[in-house]
Amino acid sequence: MRDTPGKPTPVTGATLEEKCKNAKAQLDKHFVETVQWHFNPETGTPFWLEKAKSFDFNPLTDVKSYADINKFPIFEDDWLRGGPIRKWVPKAYADRGVYVFETGGTTGLPKTRIVIDDFKIDYEMMSDTLPDKAFPKGSNWLMLGPSGPRRLRLAIEHLAQYRGGICFCVDLDPRYVVKCLKERKIAEAQSYKDHCIDQALTVLAGGHDIKCMFTTPKLLAGFDEQIRAGKLEDKYRALGKPIPAGGLRSIKSAGITGIFSGGTEFTPQFTREAYEEMLDDGDVYMTPTYGNTLMGLACSKPIGPDDGFKISYYAPQPRAVIEVVNPDNFEEIVGYGETGRVMLTTLTKEFFVPRFPERDEGEREKPFDKYPWDGVSGVRPFAALAGGTVVGVY
Amino acid sequence: MIQIPALRFGKPYTSLEKATLIHHVTGEPVAEVSQVTGSQIARDLGQMERAHKELRAIPIRDILEIYRKAADYFVTATLPCGDAELTFDDYVRNLSATTGSPMVFCRRNALKVHYVLENIEVVLGGLTRGLDLTALDTGYATGGGRTQAFYPTTDVFGAVLPSNSPGVHSLWVPTIALKMPLLLKPGREEPWTPMRVLQAFIKAGLPAKFLGFLPTDHAGAADILRLCGRSMAFGDDKTMAPYKHDHRVEIHGTGYSKFIFGDDQADNYEQYLDTIVEGIAGNGGRACVNASGVWTPRNGKAIAEALAKRLSGAKPRPWDHPDCEIAGFARPEVAEAIDGMVTKALETPGAVDVTEQVRGTPRLVKEGRIAYLLPTIVRCDTPDHPLANKEFLFPYASVVECPQADVLKRIGYTLAATVLSEDERFLADAMACPNIERLNLGALPTNRLTWDQPHEGNLFTHLYRQRALNIAPTSHATAGPAARPVAAGRDVAAV
């Protein structure tokens, strides 16, 4: 499949230092262009054109580099709750087909984000980071994750298509799971999870040459549990198909070679457990991701035992930026290795979100060759906010 | 700092996620406990069918010998605990350090665990109502001309344990003797007793593959209760609510234990005061069998004042003081929250904190990092007051007036009830009262337990079901032990 227009040019450079310098220049240029686009009366976004009236600076003349991001107010997620949704569609895209993706919404209004092509570009960029050996081009995918109004289902389907495959999907509503857990209906939540995994096993047993899958950490564990319990073999028996020699009691033996996982918190311990106990000591490749509907998705450094299963994420710069900031002063970026709150910025022609404080914290990571800009590791719920939220339920 | 790994049925496992236990007085770290996930637990449980089969093959006499040795090792040996080796005194000191329960309580409760280990045959005799223990080898026993046969209801028994009182560990100790692999999820602050019992078993010769020590979070605990065919769990009413109708889970929840005066003894209350004080405040007043209510047809005011006078002298003492009467809260915010709940409920008219009046000082005491809640007796005008039937994690009891004719209908669920009466009809009503789990007749504290009787369930009947067993006469000549019912002279009648 051909690239969707809008994919940024990869950063080049002979040394890491040079790459970092070039990445910064690319970000500066991209940031200024994005601001010009969203605040131009001809092409701009109604929300930002209206919001700019309250600014004490002119985005069209006073923004010269990414350093000027701090001139913008902290993005409030309540701005994304409620309509009209059209206020977020740039005027230049008024005649384009628009998707709306939601996040949150178990109680009250969800946050909404408009999308035209961003999810395709994000996942094509992500695709370029996947090893072909684990995610063979042309092989089919299984999507066992949140569907409905979320971006993931369409994004994974596009990822599969971009890589020449076809994606089988399972329907999963995480809001229902959150509701069950809040009402302490533990058995009902478990039953729903089993129901979703059962559908995935049915797809696997169907003989569709599925080698790649997306799933969340919790569902991966549940999927592994069911396979180890012989549920995939049961499916084969029910279909009258012979069980291959060696059985079907592991994800590897089920034919999966690569797993792209994300959607909820990823801990080093879970990653280790997955690597050692679910994926045959890394024989099945897994890559964690960090992202959300607002930002896109950040890729991880390859994980493994060599660095204690540490997970470091890097945003798809220049389309999105991750900063680790002092939770009491968002303008202060913490030192490398220090802990801070995760601050996201989204910079695409479809969607401009400057300085959005995520509900997560982590440690600031240094740039490296593949991603010559800052990253974040050890991402977990922000301590000052943790406790009031049900996380990682699906 | 001691590093305590999980024990995954024979394999120590050091996790990347660890819970740090701190000394409740100094705040210094004492231990790091490796945490496992629910999915790891699920994976381990996949091995239990085979482990159960292997454990069943060990003769009960050998297992009882292991118990005898383990009992001795538990109190006398230096046993491994992660990367440390702990004497019994070290164990008691660490237990007290991380739970806040005074050393004197910890030692006393640990000896209850020792009692069950040492007297396992007596305990099993009580749980099985005198069954010949060879039935655990053969699956049946004959006696008195009858055959009794049993089959196991699960391949593993899971126990989701608390941190508040080490005495509760006595309840799961018989599991191995019942030939059932054992999975323990220790309370966050109390890995010490489960680990020490397991290490005593291992030193006594029990293969570690039958034993799981799997510290985990709430989600992991829920997975244990979901995946083990039989389990026990400790928790408050809210935590245990999802399992209320799950017969696979034996719930050990809030006790609401009580003393109940009959009409005939209400005027003689003074002679029972020592018993009642022990029932309310013994062992720091934290157990589910500690009384949280005294129900009487009259003299409520006088009883409340008399109890308040007895209890108001209790003072916070250092955790290693031999005369400790109350336990500190390692997390002071918990004590503050409980104090706030009592104070808020007292705003509802019809109740008064009599101890605070007698003592003249508040119930909440803060000292350094820790907090204490002093014994509290609340006099309630009616059983309908919000404080009349409450239980808290400190020596607390309401004194409630209620006519004898109504009391057994009004008390609600009561784990341990001591009925103070000599009225035969009232005692008969108490005997038939379905609200009472453990019944004491006469001047016995509610927290006086006998380990050969059921406590919120019977471990034997939880792990085994009785079944009908008939064996054709022709088979006994070659079938070996399985043919014994016939050999014993019981013809199998067609029914």
Side-chain angles (χ1 to χ4, degrees):
Chain A
M1 183 184 278
R2 285 161 52 180
D3 284 359
T4 304
K7 230 168 134 179
T9 314
V11 173
T12 56
T15 63
L16 176 60
E17 192 180 9
E18 192 180 326
K19 281 187 175 180
C20 288
K21 192 179 154 195
N22 291 344
K24 184 182 177 309
Q26 186 190 42
L27 177 62
D28 284 341
K29 182 167 177 283
H30 182 83
F31 179 61
V32 173
E33 286 172 0
T34 305
V35 170
Q36 291 287 334
W37 174 268
H38 283 280
F39 289 90
N40 183 315
E42 302 299 317
T43 59
T45 305
F47 174 85
W48 288 117
L49 292 171
E50 181 62 27
K51 185 61 82 179
K53 293 175 186 170
S54 64
F55 291 172
D56 58 2
F57 68 102
N58 183 345
L60 295 175
T61 57
D62 298 341
V63 171
K64 312 284 189 198
S65 72
Y66 185 74
D68 293 322
I69 185 96
N70 288 333
K71 290 180 175 168
F72 290 90
I74 294 295
F75 191 91
E76 295 176 27
D77 57 358
D78 270 351
W79 295 344
L80 296 170
R81 294 185 210 277
I85 188 71
R86 280 275 169 195
K87 69 186 172 188
W88 292 103
V89 180
K91 287 181 180 179
Y93 290 150
D95 60 347
R96 298 284 307 273
V98 175
Y99 297 95
V100 60
F101 295 142
E102 296 183 355
T103 179
T106 303
T107 54
L109 283 172
K111 287 177 276 185
T112 47
R113 180 207 160 157
I114 67 101
V115 180
I116 298 165
D117 285 330
D118 270 357
F119 73 96
K120 296 179 184 172
I121 299 168
D122 289 340
Y123 278 73
E124 287 170 22
M125 288 172 69
M126 193 274 172
S127 174
D128 295 343
T129 71
L130 295 178
D132 287 349
K133 188 180 171 201
F135 299 90
K137 295 274 175 62
S139 60
N140 292 332
W141 282 64
L142 170 63
M143 158 62 183
L144 175 58
S147 55
R150 275 149 293 273
R151 183 187 59 159
L152 259 173
R153 182 259 156 108
L154 280 178
I156 300 298
E157 200 158 8
H158 181 73
L159 174 65
Q161 291 169 359
Y162 182 71
R163 298 182 69 81
I166 295 171
C167 184
F168 290 79
C169 299
V170 168
D171 202 15
L172 192 154
D173 176 8
R175 289 178 193 162
Y176 178 66
V177 183
V178 173
K179 190 175 172 183
C180 285
L181 295 182
K182 280 188 171 174
E183 293 173 2
R184 299 201 59 74
K185 293 177 179 169
I186 311 292
E188 196 168 329
Q190 181 65 37
S191 173
Y192 183 64
K193 186 167 117 180
D194 292 346
H195 165 67
C196 294
I197 292 171
D198 183 69
Q199 292 175 64
L201 296 178
T202 302
V203 171
L204 271 189
H208 296 297
D209 191 30
I210 290 170
K211 290 191 170 66
C212 312
M213 73 181 286
F214 171 87
T215 193
T216 65
K218 284 269 197 303
L219 286 169
L220 175 62
F223 182 68
D224 175 71
E225 182 184 326
Q226 300 286 342
I227 288 181
R228 281 180 196 280
K231 297 290 172 66
L232 182 58
E233 291 181 353
D234 291 346
K235 290 282 179 194
Y236 270 61
R237 285 189 200 98
L239 294 170
K241 296 173 69 170
I243 294 166
L248 292 166
R249 295 282 182 128
S250 70
I251 290 174
K252 183 183 174 186
S253 66
I256 302 293
T257 56
I259 293 177
F260 162 37
S261 190
T264 59
E265 186 188 4
F266 241 103
T267 64
Q269 172 58 25
F270 177 80
T271 309
R272 174 189 169 191
E273 180 195 340
Y275 184 94
E276 291 178 347
E277 300 183 29
M278 301 179 205
L279 306 175
D280 286 64
D281 280 323
D283 278 1
V284 179
Y285 185 92
M286 181 180 74
T287 181
T289 52
Y290 174 66
N292 59 35
T293 302
L294 303 186
M295 178 190 73
L297 82 168
C299 297
S300 158
K301 261 183 170 178
I303 50 104
D306 298 342
D307 59 355
F309 296 95
K310 180 176 170 181
I311 303 167
S312 305
Y313 294 116
Y314 289 81
Q317 235 176 260
R319 290 167 50 81
V321 179
I322 287 177
E323 290 163 303
V324 185
V325 299
N326 179 343
D328 299 320
N329 176 13
F330 290 158
E331 291 184 15
E332 181 194 332
I333 294 175
V334 302
Y336 287 114
E338 291 179 8
T339 302
R341 188 162 174 183
V342 178
M343 175 90 90
L344 300 179
T345 289
T346 304
L347 303 170
T348 73
K349 282 188 161 184
E350 295 172 16
F351 202 53
F352 175 59
V353 177
R355 306 175 75 210
F356 176 70
E358 256 297 353
R359 301 176 71 89
D360 294 323
E361 64 183 13
E363 286 72 44
R364 184 183 173 200
E365 287 294 323
K366 287 185 175 175
F368 78 112
D369 196 58
K370 194 171 176 185
Y371 302 109
W373 49 80
D374 282 2
V376 59
S377 65
V379 175
R380 57 204 176 262
F382 180 47
L385 297 175
T389 321
V390 180
V391 293
V393 295
Y394 53 82
Chain B
M1 183 161 54
I2 300 172
Q3 294 294 328
I4 303 178
L7 300 178
R8 300 178 66 183
F9 297 95
K11 294 178 197 154
Y13 182 83
T14 300
S15 171
L16 298 175
E17 274 173 27
K18 294 168 183 170
T20 304
L21 309 189
I22 59 166
H23 195 298
H24 72 285
V25 175
T26 65
E28 289 173 1
V30 176
E32 279 189 337
V33 184
S34 281
Q35 306 289 300
V36 299
T37 64
S39 48
Q40 287 181 307
I41 292 168
R43 215 163 288 118
D44 290 351
L45 290 178
Q47 314 301 318
M48 289 302 99
E49 187 179 344
R50 183 192 296 171
H52 186 199
K53 204 172 277 184
E54 290 178 24
L55 181 54
R56 283 207 315 267
I58 301 177
I60 184 64
R61 287 296 141 200
D62 294 353
I63 293 178
L64 294 176
E65 185 55 29
I66 287 172
Y67 268 74
R68 272 186 281 277
K69 287 182 186 167
D72 182 42
Y73 295 148
F74 183 73
V75 289
T76 64
T78 297
L79 293 172
C81 181
D83 58 0
E85 296 274 330
L86 301 181
T87 65
F88 184 72
D89 286 345
D90 296 334
Y91 147 70
V92 168
R93 182 163 281 272
N94 285 331
L95 175 59
S96 180
T98 60
T99 62
S101 185
M103 282 180 65
V104 62
F105 292 176
C106 290
R107 185 176 299 275
R108 197 181 300 152
N109 282 298
L111 292 177
K112 290 178 188 170
V113 178
H114 172 253
Y115 174 89
V116 175
L117 283 167
E118 191 173 45
N119 296 280
I120 189 64
E121 283 193 70
V122 175
V123 172
L124 291 177
L127 294 175
T128 63
R129 314 322 298 163
L131 186 72
D132 179 349
L133 293 182
T134 57
L136 294 166
D137 291 337
T138 59
Y140 68 89
T142 53
R146 294 185 190 86
T147 297
Q148 287 181 290
F150 301 90
Y151 67 93
T153 51
T154 178
D155 284 320
V156 60
F157 177 64
V160 175
L161 300 167
S163 292
N164 59 323
S165 180
V168 300
H169 300 299
S170 312
L171 294 170
W172 54 259
V173 161
T175 306
I176 293 294
L178 293 170
K179 297 197 170 187
M180 190 60 67
L182 176 62
L183 186 171
L184 301 177
K185 183 252 166 224
R188 190 186 179 284
E189 274 81 28
E190 217 286 65
W192 312 103
T193 310
M195 177 60 90
R196 190 166 179 84
V197 174
L198 298 195
Q199 292 297 346
F201 275 137
I202 292 167
K203 187 176 170 69
L206 185 73
K209 62 185 165 188
F210 304 133
L211 304 170
F213 172 86
L214 302 176
T216 186
D217 57 12
H218 289 302
D223 284 326
I224 291 172
L225 301 182
R226 174 174 65 89
L227 295 167
C228 290
R230 290 292 184 274
S231 57
M232 66 165 53
F234 294 78
D236 59 26
D237 292 349
K238 191 179 165 196
T239 311
M240 291 292 99
Y243 307 102
K244 201 170 174 184
H245 303 294
D246 187 342
H247 71 282
R248 303 171 312 132
V249 182
E250 187 179 281
I251 294 174
H252 295 262
T254 317
Y256 303 110
S257 297
K258 297 175 183 75
F259 288 94
I260 302 168
F261 278 101
D263 267 329
D264 59 318
Q265 295 299 314
D267 294 335
N268 302 330
Y269 67 87
E270 284 185 334
Q271 73 185 63
Y272 298 110
L273 290 176
D274 287 345
T275 303
I276 298 173
V277 165
E278 188 186 336
I280 293 170
N283 203 28
R286 287 188 166 186
C288 51
V289 287
N290 280 118
S292 54
V294 180
W295 291 50
T296 178
R298 60 187 173 279
N299 296 327
K301 185 168 183 291
I303 293 169
E305 287 173 356
L307 289 173
K309 278 179 191 160
R310 296 280 185 108
L311 288 165
S312 61
K315 292 183 182 64
R317 290 192 173 91
W319 61 295
D320 51 358
H321 194 288
D323 298 325
C324 270
E325 296 168 283
I326 54 175
F329 283 83
R331 293 169 59 203
E333 66 274 17
V334 175
E336 286 170 358
I338 294 172
D339 181 58
M341 288 163 70
V342 177
T343 302
K344 178 79 181 161
L346 282 167
E347 290 172 7
T348 302
V352 59
D353 180 347
V354 187
T355 20
E356 195 162 284
Q357 288 179 341
V358 172
R359 192 168 50 229
T361 59
R363 76 182 70 84
L364 177 66
V365 178
K366 289 197 205 172
E367 287 185 5
R369 289 179 48 83
I370 53 175
Y372 297 89
L373 287 170
L374 299 178
T376 295
I377 299 294
V378 170
R379 159 106 173 86
C380 295
D381 289 345
T382 74
D384 299 317
H385 192 277
L387 283 171
N389 207 357
K390 278 280 182 195
E391 177 176 305
F392 298 105
L393 200 61
F394 76 108
Y396 166 91
S398 61
V399 179
V400 185
E401 283 194 8
C402 182
Q404 177 178 302
D406 295 338
V407 70
L408 295 175
K409 298 180 195 118
R410 300 293 306 269
I411 54 173
Y413 173 78
T414 301
L415 171 59
T418 289
V419 177
L420 301 167
S421 174
E422 292 173 6
D423 175 348
E424 294 295 333
R425 286 165 66 179
F426 185 48
L427 294 178
D429 287 345
M431 289 287 286
C433 177
N435 288 331
I436 299 171
E437 189 91 20
R438 304 185 68 108
L439 178 61
N440 295 333
L441 302 179
L444 293 166
T446 49
N447 55 346
R448 183 76 54 83
L449 301 187
T450 49
W451 294 106
D452 61 343
Q453 295 204 60
H455 178 82
E456 289 182 281
N458 177 323
L459 190 60
F460 176 64
T461 54
H462 196 42
L463 299 180
Y464 287 88
R465 280 194 71 182
Q466 193 168 6
R467 66 146 54 109
L469 176 67
N470 294 329
I471 298 173
T474 52
S475 66
H476 83 272
T478 55
R484 276 186 210 151
V486 178
R490 294 284 298 171
D491 287 335
V492 179
V495 290

